[in-house]
Amino acid sequence: MSGGTGASMAKPVIPSELLVDDAVHLTPIGADDLEMMRAWRNRDDIRIWFNDGRLIEVAQQQAWYRAYIENPTDVMFIVRRAADDLPVGTIAIYQIDLDAKRAAVGRLIIAEGRGGGLGYAALFRACLAAFEGLGIETLESEVKSGNDAALRINRAVGFRPSGDASDEPIRMQLRLEFVLPRNRV
């Protein structure tokens, strides 16, 4: 995606009340989160679902973070379980194009407490934050075809296939006019 956000612009700010609900709290990532994020991303059961499944070294994570800080089209969050504020994963809104009112959502990792609806809650919360906080009208997501849990979560939130059925990864889209069901997976 391209558009109206230049390199000199700051990251978009999403009002904090849009980042919390009864299930999860999304908090912007910081330097103190990097090692925890790297450990999660390097887990065998998680990295297989990323386009680049190689192990990430400390220097690579730090270089990624420096680039992330300078990128105004990318906001990433730590997903915290609301019940105890325990960090359980990550999610991002990225490729943000405020002029075109488009963005992508993903990089969802639930490393702790899987199967308890936290993935659904994190994705749902991020989508609402993008729509209500950034004025986004279309969200895109890509999921590897074998990632049944992510496909189920995306469909439960309301994402619909947007590419050819044989595409890898599977491309999905959520538009503002789609109804966001509030049921859990």
Side-chain angles (χ1 to χ4, degrees):
M1 286 180 216
S2 62
T5 52
S8 63
M9 296 182 66
K11 288 192 180 294
V13 176
I14 299 171
S16 60
E17 63 269 14
L18 295 176
L19 300 174
V20 300
D21 63 27
D22 292 342
V24 294
H25 299 164
L26 306 182
T27 58
I29 66 166
D32 292 345
D33 299 315
L34 290 180
E35 186 52 32
M36 176 179 63
M37 291 170 56
R38 188 177 77 85
W40 288 338
R41 171 62 174 73
N42 280 345
R43 283 179 31 180
D44 290 342
D45 62 327
I46 292 173
R47 66 187 172 91
I48 63 169
W49 302 119
F50 282 80
N51 291 333
D52 182 350
R54 293 177 291 182
L55 291 172
I56 297 171
E57 301 296 328
V58 171
Q60 291 172 295
Q61 185 79 359
Q62 292 171 344
W64 169 84
Y65 184 68
R66 286 190 298 275
Y68 164 78
I69 291 297
E70 298 298 320
N71 184 350
T73 69
D74 191 345
V75 290
M76 190 157 190
F77 304 96
I78 295 295
V79 178
R80 296 179 178 280
R81 185 171 42 215
D84 56 11
D85 208 36
L86 179 75
V88 296
T90 63
I91 194 161
I93 305 167
Y94 56 102
Q95 297 176 346
I96 299 167
D97 184 335
L98 297 175
D99 292 338
K101 299 183 181 199
R102 299 177 72 85
V105 65
R107 301 181 193 152
L108 175 61
I109 293 174
I110 298 299
E112 312 295 335
R114 285 187 183 171
L118 296 173
Y120 172 89
L123 181 59
F124 184 80
R125 181 60 31 208
C127 291
L128 284 179
F131 289 141
E132 296 178 15
L134 299 177
I136 298 299
E137 293 179 357
T138 303
L139 284 168
E140 297 175 0
S141 179
E142 292 185 350
V143 180
K144 281 192 168 183
S145 59
N147 193 342
D148 295 336
L151 288 168
R152 187 174 58 252
I153 291 167
N154 277 25
R155 287 182 189 120
V157 169
F159 279 86
R160 299 177 184 173
S162 63
D164 187 290
S166 64
D167 286 348
E168 180 63 38
I170 296 168
R171 290 187 210 128
M172 304 180 89
Q173 190 176 83
L174 182 65
R175 296 191 46 80
L176 186 57
E177 68 263 17
F178 296 173
V179 175
L180 287 169
R182 295 195 182 261
N183 59 317
R184 299 223 186 270
V185 179

